[in-house]
Amino acid sequence: MTPIQMVDLKTQYLHIKNEVDAAMLEVLDSAAFINGRPVQLFAEEMSAYLGVKHTIPCANGTDALQIAMMALGLEPGDEVITPSFTYIATTEVVALLRLKPVFVDVDPKTFCMDPQSLRNAITPKTKAIVPVHLYGHAAPMKEIMEIAHEFGLYVIEDTAQAIGSDYIYPDGDRKKVATIGHIGCTSFFPSKNLGCYGDGGAIFTNDDVLADKMRMIANHGQKVRYYHEMVGCNSRLDTIQAAVLRIKLKHLDEYNAARQRAADVYDELFKDHKHIATPFRASWTKHVFHQYTLTLDGYNDVAEVRNGLTQFLAQHQIPSMIYYPVPSHRQNMFAAYGSSAFDLPVTDWLTDRVVSLPMHTELKNETQSFIAEKVLEYLNKF
Ligand SMILES: *Cc1c(COP(=O)(O)O)cnc(C)c1O
């Protein structure tokens, strides 16, 4: 038996190996390693897939967020509201740009930004909101956009974990996440739902002015070579990565469907357990399960149970992960902002209770049964 992995990129690659190898060789033959034709083609195909006007490829998802924030013309000290319960990239770029990160709480079921907590955090210095579609579940974008309009704020969607997911409005209308806010950002890190074979990222917008500015920022602030209009950075998607992504984009819906099927299988295996909450799907989301994350509940010493569980699983060669063991507001990185004083009870509660199981496009039912059997074997001791 091949070892169980959190993500099986090798098997996924083997299914598309011929196509990928040919595309990579073509890039090698062309020697157009930077800004080769596949980069432009991928951007066009990505825009068509999402139904968005502009796709600006860049070097990674963190850069995408940084470039998006640089384009908004914010002043030092301006406030940017983000969840604390996210990957560090979302919040780090705020501080990197000398803006002030303001952390808000999440909903205990969706793991995404809580609109009431967002509303409470708005001050006259607030300029932007960064909702995160965590684990593949869409943030409540309708409410977030309404609040943003009410206060005249920008919205940058962090779609690194949910590319390809739909947001469903109450009237049934659908939009791809990353196309609802003023700007959408994503990452093509290999393990993401749409991953390349190295680093990569992209920025999406329907706004021509912002698109123009972000293209310049990603390219040293220049439109005409060697004439630099503004301070930018150097952030490009390699041609080889674009070539891989063109192939994988064609499979994205199928990959997300495979993740959903695997999630349904896990749901059934953990059904009705009194200490396990399986992932919730709000009515507005087509969950794409970047992670399959359980919430352990009702234990006296949940830390002991969760530690014990991850160790027990590891003894049976089953990997599991805590995303994320320390929320942003408790990171030393943000100590200077007095961030630990933020009162985020749901974030702290979830941080102690979440555990993510292997989730990828190649999961087999037998593997999932074995994983669930071991999870239940351990938890049923308590
Ligand atoms: C992966 C990720 C990022 C950053 O992407 P990189 O390509 O690793 O820079 C940002 N936000 C979230 C939520 C992520 O999961």
Side-chain angles (χ1 to χ4, degrees):
M1 198 168 107
T2 50
I4 301 175
Q5 302 170 79
M6 283 303 284
V7 181
D8 182 356
L9 296 173
K10 178 75 185 278
T11 308
Q12 192 194 56
Y13 162 63
L14 291 176
H15 290 306
I16 52 172
K17 181 178 180 353
N18 290 344
E19 226 183 325
V20 167
D21 291 3
M24 279 199 171
L25 281 174
E26 209 175 298
V27 176
L28 296 184
D29 271 338
S30 77
F33 300 114
I34 298 290
N35 286 333
R37 185 83 180 120
V39 179
Q40 181 57 33
L41 291 172
F42 169 65
E44 286 166 16
E45 288 156 4
M46 196 74 223
S47 293
Y49 173 83
L50 290 177
V52 74
K53 215 161 156 191
H54 303 278
T55 295
I56 300 150
C58 64
N60 56 64
T62 311
D63 275 11
L65 289 160
Q66 182 188 322
I67 294 162
M69 275 178 222
M70 286 171 80
L72 300 181
L74 308 185
E75 303 285 336
D78 281 350
E79 295 176 1
V80 177
I81 298 178
T82 78
S84 171
F85 195 68
T86 181
Y87 180 54
I88 199 67
T90 319
T91 55
E92 182 184 37
V93 293
V94 179
L96 180 73
L97 295 174
R98 295 278 178 257
L99 305 168
K100 186 175 171 206
V102 174
F103 302 116
V104 297
D105 221 341
V106 290
D107 178 275
K109 279 155 78 182
T110 67
F111 307 110
C112 293
M113 186 180 272
D114 171 34
Q116 191 56 51
S117 185
L118 162 63
R119 186 177 278 280
N120 294 344
I122 293 170
T123 76
K125 296 204 110 183
T126 307
K127 293 289 156 54
I129 308 167
V130 187
V132 181
H133 306 300
L134 202 72
Y135 304 153
H137 187 292
M141 289 307 294
K142 183 172 171 287
E143 287 79 359
I144 291 169
M145 293 311 292
E146 280 164 7
I147 294 170
H149 287 139
E150 186 180 331
F151 293 93
L153 307 174
Y154 285 109
V155 175
I156 300 172
E157 289 174 75
D158 183 340
T159 317
Q161 301 192 2
I163 199 74
S165 173
D166 289 336
Y167 185 85
I168 306 156
Y169 289 86
D171 64 3
D173 201 20
R174 283 168 180 251
K175 265 191 190 159
K176 290 281 179 207
V177 294
T179 70
I180 302 163
H182 302 86
I183 303 174
C185 295
T186 205
S187 163
F188 302 124
F189 185 80
S191 64
K192 304 286 161 127
N193 291 35
L194 177 58
C196 57
Y197 295 161
D199 275 307
I203 312 160
F204 313 104
T205 187
N206 286 308
D207 184 314
D208 297 340
V209 176
L210 281 177
D212 216 41
K213 207 165 165 191
M214 292 190 290
R215 261 189 205 104
M216 285 171 71
I217 291 170
N219 184 25
H220 294 296
Q222 67 190 330
K223 198 184 275 176
V224 179
R225 205 171 194 185
Y226 305 127
Y227 292 81
H228 305 273
E229 307 296 332
M230 59 181 81
V231 174
C233 55
N234 173 29
S235 192
R236 293 182 287 238
L237 180 69
D238 290 343
T239 309
I240 285 194
Q241 302 307 340
V244 171
L245 286 165
R246 290 190 69 204
I247 293 160
K248 291 190 70 177
L249 177 59
K250 290 188 286 182
H251 296 279
L252 178 57
D253 287 345
E254 167 203 317
Y255 288 159
N256 282 339
R259 288 172 178 273
Q260 284 159 351
R261 278 196 305 276
D264 291 344
V265 169
Y266 272 139
D267 278 0
E268 193 59 32
L269 291 164
F270 294 121
K271 199 172 64 178
D272 300 332
H273 192 284
K274 70 175 194 296
H275 290 305
I276 299 176
T278 54
F280 177 73
R281 285 83 151 163
S283 58
W284 63 77
T285 191
K286 195 194 85 179
H287 201 318
V288 291
F289 291 96
H290 177 61
Q291 300 299 344
Y292 185 88
T293 304
L294 301 176
T295 309
L296 305 179
D297 195 14
Y299 291 106
N300 288 332
D301 190 347
V302 73
E304 187 199 323
V305 174
R306 189 175 65 171
N307 268 332
L309 173 64
T310 54
Q311 282 168 24
F312 180 80
L313 292 177
Q315 282 159 16
H316 292 90
Q317 279 71 52
I318 299 170
S320 61
M321 293 291 286
I322 310 302
Y323 298 118
Y324 296 91
V326 183
S328 284
H329 76 290
R330 300 205 177 277
Q331 295 286 357
N332 292 337
M333 178 195 272
F334 296 117
Y337 298 85
S339 59
S340 62
F342 280 88
D343 182 29
L344 306 174
V346 178
T347 297
D348 288 332
W349 188 88
L350 283 175
T351 298
D352 290 340
R353 284 164 181 78
V354 289
V355 55
S356 298
L357 299 178
M359 171 50 79
H360 53 81
T361 58
E362 314 300 321
L363 260 184
K364 298 232 164 37
N365 286 6
E366 311 88 84
T367 311
Q368 294 188 269
S369 298
F370 175 68
I371 294 168
E373 184 193 307
K374 292 298 166 196
V375 169
L376 296 173
E377 183 181 328
Y378 184 79
L379 292 183
N380 288 343
K381 290 182 196 170
F382 290 86

